[in-house]
Each structure stands twice: as C-alpha cells, then as structure tokens.
Amino acid sequence: MNEQLHLDFSKIVKTSKISKEEIQIKKDFLNKFIESGFPNRKQEDWKFLDISQIIKKNISNLSFFNDYSIPNQIDQSIFVDGLEHNKIIFINGRIEKIDFSYEDQNKIEIKDEIKKDISFNYENSLIDLNSAFTHKVFKIFIKKNYSLKKPLIIYHSINDKLKSTNINLRLDFDLGENSCLRLIDFYTNNAAKNFINIFYNFNLEKDAILKNYKIDKFKNNNLKYSFNNIEQGNNSVSETFILSAGSDYLKNEINCNLNG
C-alpha cells in the first residue's frame, strides 16, 4: 500500500497547481498516515468497527489518486425539490459550485484556504490522509449577528467515473458571534465501492448556533467516514442529527471542545 500511496501522491502533485510549501505540508501528512496506517481494532475507538479490515474486504486495489483538474457536469436532478436553499456541490470530491444566492453577500466571506494545517491536538490517521490528498480547503465565514435565511445543503455526489477510489473532502466554517447556520449534508452518490473521507472544522464564537443534519438514505456500496471538529465559544450551541440508511458503512465522529 505504501508504494501505491507514494505513486498516487506524485500524480496529485503533478495535476494540481500547488506551491512547494503546500507540497511539503501535504507530504508531512502523508508520512504521518503511512506511519500509522488505517485505524484498526488495536485502537479503542475502532474496536468494533475495524475500518482497515473492512476496506481490505470490500475494496480491492484502493486508489488514492483523483484527478481534480477535470471539472464535472452538475446533474440538477440531485437537488432537493421544493426547498429553497443555498448550495455547495461536491462531485467526485471536487467543489463544482458554491451558491449563497439567498443571502446577504456582505454577511458571508468565502476564502480558498492554501494551508491545510490542523489547529487542534487530536491523533487521527484518517485526518492525516485527508490533509495529504484533499484538493482545496474553502473557509466559509458567517459574520457577527447574521443568521442564514435559508439552509445550506452540501451535496455529496459521485458519478460512475470513480470506482475503488479514496475521495477526501474538507471544509472550514467560522461562525461569528450570535450567528446561525443550518447545514445539511446530503449524500446522493450511487457509484460503487469507494472510500469517502470527510473532515469539517467548525469554529463557533460566542452565542453562535450550528445545526448539522447528515442524510445518507440512498442505497450504495460506498464506505464513508465523517469527522466534525467543533470549537465552541461561550454560550454557543451545536447539534448534529444523523440519518444513516444508505451506505454499506458510515461512521460519524465528533470532537467538540467547549472553550467558553
């Protein structure tokens, strides 16, 4: 597997427009992942869900290369009908669209983050894998005293171009003081036998409110891992609601630090 990781990492570097500094940061995370490997039963958190064995059993010849330089066509049939909402659309791990058309544009900032450093102390080899191979990290900042008028739906879609592939996604959210975000993760992927690795980093300032709904209802053969890191300021609120009925395997983890 180590040889495959180095080979696919080289392909990612060649097809991505990234600086030498970022290549080194990603390489450091790659080496950390290689040192630890996929989680297994030796770790308490994975005692009953050994993802290392599950991947070996269900996905043969797992590839870590995904060509993010090629845009994907958006299939509008995946959209939730009858609900006005903002959108972030991931297709094959690549962000194809960010749309906050229902909101006051002066109250939301979107930045394309270059560095993928981790600001919290949490040993997790899947986050190291994510940081080594994820394409771009966008940071979404909701300004002070602003509540989104409509929910934000993040569409996770995979087409039939990908099979037996590791897909890594990351988003960062900053919720300013007394702001509010209703976030829906909506999994529409129907491709077969991929491993999807999702990492969200939330920073909630004083009195901010986050409600995150994760909906995985369509039957598919993919394996998914979702990790939310949540930093909470004084009197802030975060709630997570999960419907897990579609994927062969889906594990959700939350690391929540109460800083207020």
Side-chain angles (χ1 to χ4, degrees):
M1 185 182 72
N2 291 354
E3 183 179 348
Q4 184 72 45
L5 281 162
H6 284 294
L7 182 63
D8 290 343
F9 182 79
S10 297
K11 291 180 182 177
I12 288 285
V13 170
K14 288 179 181 178
T15 57
S16 303
K17 297 178 180 179
I18 53 179
S19 66
K20 291 182 179 179
E21 180 187 7
E22 188 177 9
I23 290 171
Q24 187 57 54
I25 291 172
K26 291 164 73 71
K27 189 177 290 185
D28 290 343
F29 281 115
L30 174 65
N31 291 332
K32 280 189 68 178
F33 174 74
I34 290 173
E35 183 179 346
S36 302
F38 283 107
N40 56 54
R41 292 186 189 277
K42 294 179 181 179
Q43 294 152 274
E44 187 65 28
D45 289 348
W46 296 89
K47 192 172 182 179
F48 302 106
L49 290 168
D50 188 335
I51 196 169
S52 178
Q53 290 301 317
I54 292 171
I55 289 174
K56 287 179 183 177
K57 181 180 178 181
N58 292 274
I59 305 177
S60 59
N61 301 318
L62 179 65
S63 171
F64 299 89
F65 172 67
N66 188 5
D67 191 352
Y68 294 111
S69 65
I70 302 175
N72 300 283
Q73 186 173 356
I74 297 173
D75 179 7
Q76 298 194 6
S77 67
I78 67 173
F79 295 159
V80 174
D81 193 23
L83 175 68
E84 293 182 337
H85 60 279
N86 304 291
K87 303 178 183 71
I88 295 179
I89 304 170
F90 278 104
I91 302 178
N92 295 349
R94 186 182 191 274
I95 288 187
E96 300 296 344
K97 187 174 184 180
I98 299 178
D99 178 8
F100 283 91
S101 55
Y102 288 99
E103 307 303 327
D104 183 344
Q105 303 301 310
N106 294 320
K107 300 296 184 180
I108 299 173
E109 288 185 9
I110 302 171
K111 295 182 179 179
D112 180 358
E113 294 292 287
I114 300 301
K115 291 188 178 180
K116 298 177 175 61
D117 55 332
I118 306 298
S119 59
F120 65 98
N121 184 23
Y122 192 92
E123 293 297 324
N124 186 322
S125 64
L126 293 180
I127 294 178
D128 295 331
L129 177 66
N130 184 289
S131 299
F133 284 99
T134 195
H135 179 220
K136 286 186 177 180
V137 177
F138 283 87
K139 177 173 282 189
I140 298 166
F141 179 52
I142 313 298
K143 294 186 178 180
K144 181 178 179 180
N145 296 324
Y146 186 71
S147 296
L148 267 68
K149 300 170 187 175
K150 304 294 180 182
L152 168 62
I153 297 184
I154 299 179
Y155 289 95
H156 299 270
S157 181
I158 302 174
N159 58 37
D160 55 9
K161 292 179 182 178
L162 293 187
K163 186 176 181 180
S164 301
T165 302
N166 170 220
I167 301 163
N168 297 282
L169 322 171
R170 176 173 167 181
L171 286 172
D172 285 11
F173 295 88
D174 276 358
L175 275 64
E177 184 177 331
N178 197 39
S179 65
C180 179
L181 171 65
R182 290 170 294 161
L183 173 63
I184 302 170
D185 284 292
F186 194 71
Y187 300 99
T188 65
N189 41 346
N190 53 14
K193 294 188 176 181
N194 297 290
F195 171 54
I196 299 100
N197 183 16
I198 302 167
F199 172 39
Y200 291 163
N201 194 48
F202 296 95
N203 181 45
L204 278 60
E205 297 185 14
K206 179 182 177 183
D207 297 320
I209 297 174
L210 168 68
K211 293 181 182 287
N212 186 194
Y213 305 83
K214 297 178 182 290
I215 302 174
D216 179 38
K217 68 175 185 175
F218 298 108
K219 184 64 179 175
N220 64 89
N221 295 324
N222 293 297
L223 312 178
K224 296 190 184 79
Y225 174 72
S226 172
F227 186 94
N228 283 9
N229 180 64
I230 307 173
E231 304 289 333
Q232 288 197 227
N234 186 43
N235 204 41
S236 62
V237 176
S238 69
E239 296 179 296
T240 305
F241 308 88
I242 300 168
L243 171 62
S244 175
S247 299
D248 276 359
Y249 175 98
L250 172 59
K251 181 170 182 176
N252 289 277
E253 285 197 284
I254 300 171
N255 179 58
C256 189
N257 295 315
L258 306 179
N259 301 317

